[in-house]
Amino acid sequence: ENGKLNVAIDGPAGAGKSTVARRVASELSYIYVDTGAMYRAVTYYMLRHEIEPEDVDSVLKHLRELSIELVPDANGQKVLLNGEDVSGPIRSREVTGIVSLYSQIEDLRAHLVELQRVMALRKGVVMDGRDIGTTVLPDAEVKIFMTASVKERALRRFNELEKTDDLTLEQLESDIAARDKLDQEREISPLRQADDAIVLDTTSMSIDEVVEHIVSRCYEVGREVDL
Ligand code: CDP
Ligand code: CDP
């Protein structure tokens, strides 16, 4: 209707999803939605209230008191949790280490998926996560499944560290491998490529190449479906 389509980008940690999705959105003047940030914000909230992932009833009860907003800003987007900017703290190692346990909870996922679908109703959204092409937006016009070797993904995260961080490359690699396993093996919408997704192995691709590839695919599909 408005000439726009939806773009779903899935893949494991460090594949380059958010970096690329943000750039693709900006080139197309689309809205970027980081669904991982939503799972992280919920996790941060639960940790702060000392609610463990095993205590599903409490998690779901508290979920109702919590509002999550993604607000565009200079660096992509800010994450507001009940109005408070939590963009920094949701990236902590503590949150990263446990987010995959909260994201196994079926009703928690159902709640976030509903919010995500509403964000994409008017099209023109680039959404990244684990289950976007399979579950959240199965009708997305463009679906990308982005991967890279575990070594390369750990190295990318290593290069992002501050000098004061004392994480080793080996620690990062095993953290990432553990999270991949949980995300791939969970029962409810695991990390999996959609049948109609384009697979992009970015191990030896530059960010520009990946962005270029996806943007040209969007133009191609835009012509085909005559949006
Ligand atoms: O940026 P990074 O790849 O480290 O992770 P993220 O995209 O911020 O996602 C953090 C975690 O949230 C993932 O490891 C998943 O457990 C969960 N997640 C999910 O289950 N479904 C999504 N659509 C997005 C994230
Ligand atoms: O969102 P996801 O966890 O998939 O990855 P990310 O947070 O975008 O992190 C990817 C990191 O690898 C960033 O520091 C990028 O600068 C870098 N990178 C990339 O994204 N894509 C490449 N083809 C090469 C490097």
Side-chain angles (χ1 to χ4, degrees):
E1 300 287 313
N2 57 6
K4 294 187 171 180
L5 28 89
N6 281 336
V7 183
I9 303 184
D10 292 300
K17 300 180 301 297
S18 48
T19 306
V20 166
R22 191 175 294 132
R23 293 259 312 260
V24 169
S26 130
E27 289 208 19
L28 298 171
S29 300
Y30 280 14
I31 292 165
Y32 167 52
V33 177
D34 177 355
T35 66
M38 300 170 75
Y39 288 92
R40 285 172 180 275
V42 171
T43 300
Y44 176 72
Y45 183 90
M46 298 301 161
L47 285 175
R48 213 155 71 171
H49 290 81
E50 297 181 22
I51 301 159
E52 315 218 320
E54 293 76 24
D55 189 358
V56 174
D57 288 343
S58 297
V59 169
L60 297 177
K61 195 171 127 250
H62 281 78
L63 193 59
R64 282 186 243 125
E65 332 169 324
L66 160 174
S67 99
I68 300 169
E69 290 167 273
L70 303 179
V71 186
D73 83 339
N75 311 319
Q77 63 188 214
K78 247 181 356 200
V79 184
L80 302 185
L81 179 64
N82 293 339
E84 177 190 344
D85 185 355
V86 294
S87 314
I90 64 169
R91 308 282 160 197
S92 71
R93 190 171 183 225
E94 196 189 4
V95 170
T96 304
I98 201 166
V99 57
S100 292
L101 295 185
Y102 291 97
S103 42
Q104 291 178 336
I105 301 174
E106 181 167 16
D107 291 345
L108 187 160
R109 299 198 69 83
H111 178 73
L112 295 186
V113 166
E114 204 173 295
L115 296 176
Q116 292 154 8
R117 286 187 179 144
V118 170
M119 294 176 184
L121 276 179
R122 277 185 283 175
K123 302 248 176 170
V125 163
V126 182
M127 192 177 283
D128 83 333
R130 301 291 187 288
D131 60 341
I132 312 306
T134 52
T135 304
V136 182
L137 306 176
D139 296 329
E141 287 81 2
V142 174
K143 296 184 187 178
I144 307 291
F145 192 84
M146 216 181 269
T147 62
S149 69
V150 178
K151 279 218 151 46
E152 171 66 20
R153 292 188 281 121
L155 190 62
R156 289 177 185 175
R157 281 290 148 83
F158 188 71
N159 291 334
E160 286 175 345
L161 293 180
E162 312 276 334
K163 285 212 175 63
T164 50
D165 290 327
D166 55 2
L167 274 173
T168 66
L169 183 59
E170 289 68 33
Q171 272 170 326
L172 277 170
E173 196 177 319
S174 76
D175 284 2
I176 286 182
R179 191 145 59 96
D180 284 356
K181 190 169 151 61
L182 283 172
D183 289 344
Q184 284 160 354
E185 293 180 357
R186 70 168 171 244
E187 248 167 83
I188 316 300
S189 40
L191 169 63
R192 194 166 53 71
Q193 83 189 60
D195 294 334
D196 51 350
I198 299 171
V199 179
L200 276 185
D201 184 339
T202 71
T203 307
S204 41
M205 286 173 86
S206 71
I207 295 171
D208 283 345
E209 283 174 313
V210 182
V211 170
E212 165 73 16
H213 195 99
I214 298 174
V215 168
S216 43
R217 183 63 195 151
C218 290
Y219 284 124
E220 223 172 272
V221 171
R223 274 195 303 276
E224 279 166 24
V225 299
D226 198 26
L227 283 167

